[in-house]
Amino acid sequence: EQGITINAEKGSELYIRYKAVAGRVSQAIQNGEIKLRDTSPLTAVGTALVAWADLFRVTARVPTSARGYVTVGVTTSIATTAPIPDGFVATNNATGIKYKADGAQTVADGGSVRMVAVSAGANTDAAAGASVTWDSASIPQLKQAATVAAGGIDGGADADTEEQLRTRLLRKLRLPPVGGNSGHTIQLAEDASAAVVAAYDYPSVRGPSSYDVAIVGTRMTPCSAAPPSPPLRRRCRRRSRGTPTATSPASNSKPST
């Protein structure tokens, strides 16, 4: 018995009818897959991931501005020092990024002025030796040209991506921060700034009841792959227990203890 022969060719009545049904069903299946994806912090994205993070009080970190020093010149025939007012602006000649004086300062010829980027983000970093020019010539003895000092201007970082937020959320779930334990110390360090790529806790380095934290900056990506080995650890600036300061360590710096 050959059964019933039906016409399901494109354009037939059955084709049109069941294509409409399939469209409704496939949309429901797709919505179900999205809903299933969002039920786990391992796979959630977008607002669902943010909702998971909010549930456990993990927030995406905002962008940070790079900080550092510039070496300046002073025309000593006019004056031996130059007063730099708070907010005095200089521009990176290569990138156009602007930096401003971080507080009022007085500097001599060859001295350094503490600067902070006007904007925020990873692009505000500047390498040592980069040329900058003061936007204003209102300080007659201050030479217009300056250079970024040794160590560079760094610490600029973009806001957390979804994967960075997920990583911090999963770490908190895996190692809940409680009463100054390892998870708590690491959370204090990483929550301080988006410039902190990762932090590693080393208890009892200085004896019982002591903590050291290796803070890894944006230029220290090898440290973020795994807890640093002793040779690599020497390249990571260390901070004692408390609220660590978010810094991006210089590549050849020794730990400050």
Side-chain angles (χ1 to χ4, degrees):
E1 190 174 17
Q2 295 181 350
I4 300 174
T5 300
I6 61 174
N7 179 14
E9 294 290 332
K10 187 174 182 179
S12 66
E13 179 186 353
L14 288 176
Y15 177 89
I16 296 171
R17 180 181 300 173
Y18 286 103
K19 181 181 179 182
V21 173
R24 294 289 187 91
V25 172
S26 63
Q27 184 177 1
I29 293 173
Q30 186 177 19
N31 290 340
E33 290 176 348
I34 294 173
K35 191 65 177 178
L36 181 62
R37 179 196 64 191
D38 291 343
T39 58
S40 170
L42 293 171
T43 54
V45 296
T47 56
L49 176 60
V50 172
W52 272 107
D54 286 345
L55 181 63
F56 293 96
R57 298 184 179 180
V58 177
T59 57
R61 298 172 298 183
V62 299
T64 59
S65 301
R67 296 173 181 271
Y69 291 83
V70 297
T71 303
V72 303
V74 174
T75 304
T76 55
S77 60
I78 300 176
T80 56
T81 61
I84 309 297
D86 182 28
F88 201 61
V89 176
T91 301
N92 187 315
N93 295 335
T95 64
I97 298 295
K98 292 186 178 294
Y99 303 90
K100 63 181 180 180
D102 188 12
Q105 304 159 67
T106 300
V107 62
D109 186 44
S112 297
V113 176
R114 186 174 63 254
M115 306 291 285
V116 59
V118 174
S119 56
N123 66 333
T124 59
D125 286 358
S131 298
V132 300
T133 301
W134 297 106
D135 285 13
S136 171
S138 59
I139 305 173
Q141 67 268 40
L142 180 66
K143 295 180 180 179
Q144 286 299 102
T147 57
V148 176
I153 297 177
D154 65 1
D158 297 326
D160 277 350
T161 63
E162 283 193 355
E163 290 310 311
Q164 287 172 320
L165 180 61
R166 189 192 317 279
T167 297
R168 293 174 53 232
L169 170 60
L170 295 178
R171 182 185 296 114
K172 186 171 185 179
L173 294 175
R174 182 175 66 250
L175 186 60
V178 179
N181 66 350
S182 177
H184 192 189
T185 307
I186 291 172
Q187 181 186 14
L188 286 173
E190 294 188 354
D191 285 356
S193 170
V196 180
V197 174
Y200 301 98
D201 177 77
Y202 297 93
S204 304
V205 171
R206 306 171 196 261
S209 301
S210 68
Y211 282 85
D212 274 75
V213 179
I215 295 178
V216 181
T218 53
R219 293 188 299 164
M220 297 293 292
T221 50
C223 292
S224 63
S229 60
L232 187 55
R233 195 180 312 160
R234 287 194 292 269
R235 298 176 60 198
C236 300
R237 189 164 300 175
R238 309 184 52 141
R239 292 288 182 269
S240 59
R241 188 178 180 222
T243 303
T245 302
T247 60
S248 180
S251 58
N252 295 317
S253 64
K254 293 182 179 179
S256 57
T257 57

